[in-house]
Structure formats: C-alpha cells, structure tokens
Amino acid sequence: MKNIALLGSTGSIGQQTLDVIANNPTLFSVEVLTANNNADLLIEQALTFKPNVVVISNEDKYTRVKEALSPYPIKIYSGYDAIAQVVEMGSVDTVVTAMVGFSGLLPTIRAVKAGKQIGLANKETLVVAGDLITRLSIENKSEIIPIDSEHSAIFQCLVGEAEESVEKIILTCSGGPFHGKTAEQLSKVTVKEALKHPKWDMGAKITIDSATLMNKGFEVIEAKWLFGLRPEQIEVVVHPQSIIHSMVQFCDGSIKAQLGIPDMRMPIQFALAYPIRIKNAIPRFSFADCPTFTFTTPDTKNFRNLALSYEALHKGGNLACVLNAANEVSVKAFLNEKISFTDIAVINEQVMGQIHYVIHPELDDYIASDKTARIYAEEMILKMQ
Ligand code: MG
C-alpha cells in the first residue's frame, strides 16, 4: 500500500489521479489532499477518500472546509505554508505535484528534501529550478517519476537501457488547435478558440500553453533535467494524432516509441504503480481506427515560445525561471482578454531580454527573478492597453 499526498487535488490531473486511486484501493490510499481555492470539490473528495489531512490554500475558505469535515477525524489546515509542511509527514510515501505554475516549487523542494518519491505533474518546478531540484533529489535519494505524458513515454522507453546509449529523444507535440496558422490569423485568436484543445482535456493554463507551444517548450526544459540531456539531444516533432507520446533514439540508430490513446490516467497510473504495471479499463488504441500517423517540424517562427525555451536552455541560469514567470502573467492577461494571443510570446521575449541574468542561481535568486519578471510583465501589459 502506497500512501499518497496529492497536491492540487481539484485540478484536472488531481481529479484523474483520484480516479486511478479509486480504481486501485488495495494499492493506493490518500493521506493528504490539498487545493488552492475549490473548497466544494475538496470537501467532496475528502468525504470520498477520507484522507488524514486536508489543506485549503485560500485561508478565507478554511472555516467552510473545517465545518463540512468536522464529523470526521480529518486534520484541516489552511495557507500555502501548510502545503509545504504536510509533504514532510512520515506517513506519506509519494507526493503527486499537480498544482499549477511556480506555486509548486517550494512544496516540491520540501518533499524532495524529505526523501519522498515524487510523481511530477507540475513541470514548472523543473523549468524554474531544474538544477536545484535535480541536485537535491540525488542528495536526498528522492526518486522523481514524470507524470507528463511525453516524459512518461521517454521514462518507459528507457527502462532497461544504459544512460550513455541514448543519442537523442523526440518529444511529440499535437501542434495544438492553431498548427499551420499564419501570424495574421494567430493575432485574432479568441480565448474561447484557444481553450479548445483538439486531443487533450486539461486545465485552462496548460491548454493555452499548448496552443502557444509554450507547454512544449517547457517540456523540452523538463526533459533536460529529468534525463540529463544536452539541448541538441532534444528534438520536437509535430504529430497531430497524439498517439505516439514520445520516442528515444539510441546510439545504434534504433528508435523506441511509447503509444496509447491520449488519456492522462495512463501516465498517472504508471507513475503511481512504478516499477510494476497494473491493469485498467481505459479504452485501447486501435490501429485500424487510426491508419495514418503524420509528422512535421514545429513552426518556431510563428510560435516563438518554443524558440524562447531553447534559448533559455542554451543560456541556462535564471532565464527559464524568468520565462515561466512572464508566461504565467501573460497567459492570465490573455485569459482576461487584456492582450492578444500573439502578445503572450512578445511579452515573454521582452521580459527575458530585460531581466538581470544570474548564471548560478540559488533558491533566493529564483524567487527574486520570478518576482521581478512578473512586475516587468505586468508593466508591459499595462502599456499595451
Ligand atoms: Mg505533456
């Protein structure tokens, strides 16, 4: 039995993680549930899964959660700091990090330092501070298992392989809803159009990131840290069918791929059950229903965010942290209809150019860079209106 702390339980990945746990009650139990704001769903989840601890980050909602769960022996805490504390509990085996954005960083660091096994769904943690997290995970023997579907695919392709036999990895990309569109067309994209992803059902932030290719850019950075790769060893290929989840090319020219229908419960289940595989009732992929797989190179001219990620990867330091912070602000502004779709990358690029570059950042530098980048991005957005 694995005891799980699920950070971000009310989001898309959080809900699907609970679905996997509910289907395997003899293998997994919920020790901790945390949510940012959605008290109603958190209460409902706590009533179903009976965790020992529940944390609601928004302190205004504490009383509501406390009262609803008062008949049960569940400890209730509130505030962001509480999330970072509960991951260290002795009764927790695995921490699933399914919160959105930079907020995942501190709780993940605490969990890694406590030597917990990490099911990593919050890719921003590795984007922001990949060197720090990687270093801490080695020092504290904290195993990081990716939940992101592409990285889960690569992780699965690497089972039984020697690290030095990897020539490169090929991250597949659906291309998002706007693949093939011109700059002119992209500038007129509406929020509603951008929120409709052709293949994956995800939260709002990551759906926009997928449409701008920022998500793929972040995945390139995530892959560098997870698998110890150089930038030139990471290739992105557009595969609109989203059946091949990613590939590894080895030193003998052989390529291994991992395939399946696009359903996040598969990589979640793989991460939770690793190193074993368990059965499920998720629909199977049929080659007869999808006889054509296509591949093209991504358009980094009109989708600048992917190019910016490679730039951040080559230059290193705090640049990826800055890119992530600028992007969180610009995506929010787009969702609030304050800027256009193409402005997202314009802001990201300008903030990266303005910020003070730190070559070997420590945690404090990351926190400061994140803060400054957000201020610059907000200022630019104000000027655009
Ligand atoms: Mg992904």
Side-chain angles (χ1 to χ4, degrees), residues 116-133:
K116 304 297 183 190
Q117 186 186 51
I118 310 289
L120 188 98
N122 175 248
K123 74 190 77 189
E124 289 90 341
T125 300
L126 283 182
V127 171
V128 168
D131 59 341
L132 179 66
I133 300 280

Side-chain angles (χ1 to χ4, degrees), residues 27-332:
L27 295 175
F28 312 122
S29 86
V30 179
E31 182 68 14
V32 175
L33 289 177
T34 83
N36 187 27
N37 213 25
N38 190 344
D40 289 335
L41 185 55
L42 180 64
I43 291 165
E44 192 187 312
Q45 291 174 339
L47 293 174
T48 308
F49 290 91
K50 303 276 165 17
N52 278 321
V53 172
V54 161
V55 184
I56 179 88
S57 189
N58 182 343
E59 296 181 9
D60 296 340
K61 309 242 167 125
Y62 172 75
T63 316
R64 202 108 155 277
V65 177
K66 175 98 181 152
E67 277 168 12
L69 300 178
S70 63
Y72 306 93
I74 302 174
K75 294 185 199 76
I76 326 283
Y77 303 112
S78 72
Y80 179 65
D81 291 345
I83 298 178
Q85 278 167 26
V86 293
V87 298
E88 296 173 342
M89 285 164 41
S91 52
V92 169
D93 300 311
T94 300
V95 177
V96 174
T97 62
M99 60 263 274
V100 179
F102 186 82
S103 66
L105 181 63
L106 293 180
T108 306
I109 287 179
R110 294 279 282 268
V112 168
K113 280 186 173 170
K116 304 297 183 190
Q117 186 186 51
I118 310 289
L120 188 98
N122 175 248
K123 74 190 77 189
E124 289 90 341
T125 300
L126 283 182
V127 171
V128 168
D131 59 341
L132 179 66
I133 300 280
T134 312
R135 207 166 64 218
L136 288 173
S137 80
I138 296 165
E139 277 170 25
N140 296 284
K141 299 191 173 57
S142 160
E143 190 177 31
I144 299 178
I145 308 184
I147 285 181
D148 209 346
S149 61
E150 294 80 358
H151 306 76
S152 175
I154 291 160
F155 192 93
Q156 293 182 53
C157 291
L158 289 175
V159 170
E161 302 286 354
E163 210 176 296
E164 57 275 17
S165 66
V166 175
E167 200 163 76
K168 69 173 181 184
I169 64 162
I170 301 140
L171 288 175
T172 52
C173 168
S174 72
F178 309 128
H179 178 61
K181 286 216 189 301
T182 62
E184 163 78 17
Q185 289 168 323
L186 286 174
S187 67
K188 294 188 179 120
V189 159
T190 65
V191 172
K192 208 173 148 206
E193 288 166 335
L195 281 175
K196 254 188 242 138
H197 194 274
K199 292 290 170 190
W200 294 94
D201 181 14
M202 305 174 290
K205 160 79 166 44
I206 189 171
T207 303
I208 302 301
D209 285 346
S210 297
T212 65
L213 295 202
M214 185 76 274
N215 182 56
K216 205 50 56 183
F218 286 162
E219 289 180 353
V220 168
I221 300 172
E222 183 186 7
K224 173 205 157 77
W225 295 113
L226 278 172
F227 307 113
L229 301 166
R230 298 184 305 278
E232 58 274 20
Q233 286 178 292
I234 310 169
E235 185 179 322
V236 174
V237 63
V238 177
H239 165 53
Q241 296 78 26
S242 296
I243 298 300
I244 298 177
H245 297 313
S246 279
M247 300 174 258
V248 179
Q249 180 174 308
F250 295 92
C251 56
D252 59 354
S254 183
I255 298 174
K256 270 173 145 182
Q258 187 264 343
L259 290 73
I261 64 156
D263 187 319
M264 283 309 293
R265 289 172 301 173
M266 283 209 268
I268 292 168
Q269 175 180 308
F270 180 84
L272 291 186
Y274 180 79
I276 60 164
R277 280 188 192 272
I278 51 178
K279 290 179 186 170
N280 63 32
I282 295 169
R284 271 41 177 163
F285 172 67
S286 155
F287 280 90
D289 294 342
C290 182
T292 312
F293 283 179
T294 58
F295 307 94
T296 49
T297 47
D299 172 4
T300 49
K301 203 167 143 278
N302 285 321
F303 293 86
R304 285 289 301 151
N305 280 333
L306 183 56
L308 293 179
S309 289
Y310 273 100
E311 191 188 323
L313 201 54
H314 278 285
K315 292 186 182 160
N318 60 339
L319 273 182
C321 169
V322 168
L323 175 59
N324 175 71
N327 185 64
E328 280 190 35
V329 174
S330 57
V331 167
K332 199 171 161 202

Side-chain angles (χ1 to χ4, degrees), residues 364-383:
D364 289 347
D365 301 307
Y366 287 124
I367 293 170
S369 300
D370 176 84
K371 205 173 157 192
T372 318
R374 280 169 201 269
I375 293 169
Y376 284 179
E378 299 280 7
E379 282 172 3
M380 283 191 61
I381 291 160
L382 277 180
K383 277 185 208 149

